[in-house]
Amino acid sequence: MEQYAIRGGNPLEGEVVIAGAKNAALGILAAAIMTDDEVVIENVPFVSDTRTLLKAIENIGATVRYIDRHTVSICGKGIAGDEELSVDDEYIRKIRASYYLIGALLGKYKYANVALPGGCDIGSRPIDLHIKGFEILGATVDIVSGGKVVAEAKQLVGSHIYLDTVSVGATINIMLAAALAEGKTTIENAAKEPHIVDVANFLNTMGANIKGAGTDVIRVRGVSRLHGAEYSIIPDQIEAGTFMVMAAATQGNVLVKNVIPKHMEAISSKLIEMGARVIEYDDSIRVMADGKLRPTQVKTLPYPGFPTDMQAQIAAVLCLAEGTSVVTESIFENRFRYVNELTRMGAKIRVEGNTAIITGVPKFTGANMSASDLRAGAALVIAALAAEGVSVIDDIKYVKRGYEDFDTKIRALGGDMEIVESERSLQKFKLKAV
Ligand code: UD1
């Protein structure tokens, strides 16, 4: 079993190039099968979530070809859009974003049969809003035995959909189905995350007519078909944020390249409040920290608020700030599972409901820990890099779902980190002269 072995204490210094946005890629790769023409997508992050989705797409008959490590050609022509079509394989249940195949297939074939999504266990993550949206567009949706969603419609007809909760997944999924519906759909209280805009821009490049993405009212005028396109995915806001926080946690100086600074504002402003220096350039951000960080309050909110996917990472660095910080999680339950692990390193955190009260400690001490989900795993890596001594992190498969070459990028910044696969290689790492 692979583990991360990390010897903390080195300030991270240098430059890191951010990959394409995982969550945008998942929507875009699913949308790519909505045309029979070839679609070429660039800047696809090479992480296990995107590869899993591509395998699932290939398994239902699409042609998938990697042109290079980050460029994928997809042709959905070979998909049998009839009752034979069922998306259920060993891969698909592993990723939550498999639900985008429901919207994509329903839009194109008016029929979808997709295994219920898996993904990170961060509390109850229903898909009732997705289903409500499909039903308002005229589909019947059943959850059949074996945990599969079957959605079908004679015809999808544009309509008015109000989302009771701001949901990234439901907004994208409804946009996908509505792109090929008859007439006009209005999605109100839509999510505004950068990847919603990216998926909408991609669909528009394929010939869809979507306006208002990035605001809370999205208007989709259905078209009869979509065509081939070439498209490049935006940079990953969360990967960038993770490296920014890592620079602050290790008292480092890192230039985070290939970012859209506007997407980073919630994170940048928290780091500035904490006493880090943040310098924005056109498409990069430098983060420097020198001396004790200050505590702050963080509350996760839909975009443009502070992203829930950065909650664990910012909490890890707040553990080392001088004073008491409060982190409130308002999107998901069960997103404090990293707290016990950080406690092993010496963190002082008290969780009350959806709030974590963090009392800063002067230092972390290396420990053995386990990643409970993707972002929790990233938080443990940050803490381990800032700690005194060696840490070992298990279950790194979660981290690999969303961070491309995480260990390689961190090593290039001077972090002492390796993937070890046996007790022997771990011992070797521990005994290595520093
Ligand atoms: C997406 C992201 C995930 C991020 C999250 C919030 C992808 C693949 N994943 O997840 O990384 O943490 O946005 O930014 O893009 N909800 C319902 N009913 C639904 C759908 C959602 O009640 O049908 C609730 C959820 O339980 C949650 C909230 O809405 O409390 C927001 O969830 P949502 O935005 O849908 O998250 P995901 O799309 O699953």
Side-chain angles (χ1 to χ4, degrees), residues 23 96 99 124-129 167-169 309 331-332:
N23 286 346
R96 178 158 171 84
Y99 55 42
S124 126
R125 297 176 81 177
I127 58 163
D128 55 306
L129 292 171
S167 160
V168 171
D309 284 354
I331 312 285
F332 291 114

Side-chain angles (χ1 to χ4, degrees), residues 2-6 12 16 69 239 243 246 381 385 396 399-400 403-421 429:
E2 289 187 331
Q3 299 170 306
Y4 288 136
I6 298 173
L12 294 199
V16 62
R69 197 165 189 248
E239 190 199 1
F243 277 100
M246 203 180 278
V381 170
L385 287 165
I396 68 169
V399 181
K400 289 182 153 189
Y403 290 92
E404 179 176 322
D405 298 336
F406 205 35
D407 55 312
T408 317
K409 288 184 180 183
I410 291 170
R411 269 197 304 280
L413 293 170
D416 192 358
M417 168 172 181
E418 271 175 33
I419 293 182
V420 293
E421 288 186 56
F429 179 84

Side-chain angles (χ1 to χ4, degrees), residues 22-24 26-27 49 95-100 122-132 163-172 191 193 195-196 237-238 301-303 306-310 329-333 335 374-375 401:
K22 173 190 77 104
N23 286 346
L26 295 170
D49 266 16
I95 55 166
R96 178 158 171 84
S98 51
Y99 55 42
Y100 290 141
I122 49 172
S124 126
R125 297 176 81 177
I127 58 163
D128 55 306
L129 292 171
H130 306 228
I131 294 175
K132 174 178 145 182
L163 298 176
D164 308 316
T165 306
V166 178
S167 160
V168 171
T171 303
I172 292 181
E193 268 66 4
H195 46 289
I196 306 265
Q237 176 205 29
I238 306 300
L301 287 168
Y303 189 83
F306 191 90
T308 172
D309 284 354
M310 280 299 300
E329 172 56 57
S330 65
I331 312 285
F332 291 114
E333 324 151 7
R335 225 178 175 178
L374 166 59
R375 307 305 171 183
R401 292 183 46 183

Side-chain angles (χ1 to χ4, degrees), residues 47-206:
V47 292
S48 66
D49 266 16
T50 52
R51 279 178 290 152
T52 303
L53 183 60
L54 285 169
K55 278 187 190 138
I57 287 173
E58 208 167 18
N59 277 2
I60 54 170
T63 312
V64 174
R65 190 167 50 90
Y66 266 98
I67 296 172
D68 61 40
R69 197 165 189 248
H70 297 118
T71 310
V72 183
S73 151
I74 297 173
C75 182
K77 198 172 174 185
I79 298 172
D82 54 23
E83 309 248 321
E84 297 291 299
L85 173 64
S86 160
V87 191
D88 185 9
D89 57 47
E90 56 178 304
Y91 308 112
I92 204 66
R93 287 180 195 260
K94 288 190 197 157
I95 55 166
R96 178 158 171 84
S98 51
Y99 55 42
Y100 290 141
L101 292 175
I102 310 174
L105 293 168
L106 182 65
K108 187 172 178 209
Y109 301 109
K110 313 297 175 252
Y111 177 79
N113 180 340
V114 179
L116 274 178
C120 283
D121 178 13
I122 49 172
S124 126
R125 297 176 81 177
I127 58 163
D128 55 306
L129 292 171
H130 306 228
I131 294 175
K132 174 178 145 182
F134 298 144
E135 286 175 343
I136 294 176
L137 294 175
T140 51
V141 185
D142 289 309
I143 298 185
V144 298
S145 64
K148 293 173 89 185
V149 181
V150 178
E152 53 192 317
K154 282 212 166 57
Q155 196 191 12
L156 290 175
V157 182
S159 190
H160 189 102
I161 299 165
Y162 176 82
L163 298 176
D164 308 316
T165 306
V166 178
S167 160
V168 171
T171 303
I172 292 181
N173 231 342
I174 295 167
M175 238 165 42
L176 294 175
L180 288 174
E182 294 271 321
K184 212 171 120 187
T185 299
T186 309
I187 309 171
E188 280 206 62
N189 202 25
K192 298 184 276 203
E193 268 66 4
H195 46 289
I196 306 265
V197 180
D198 211 33
V199 177
N201 285 344
F202 171 64
L203 285 165
N204 285 342
T205 312
M206 289 206 298

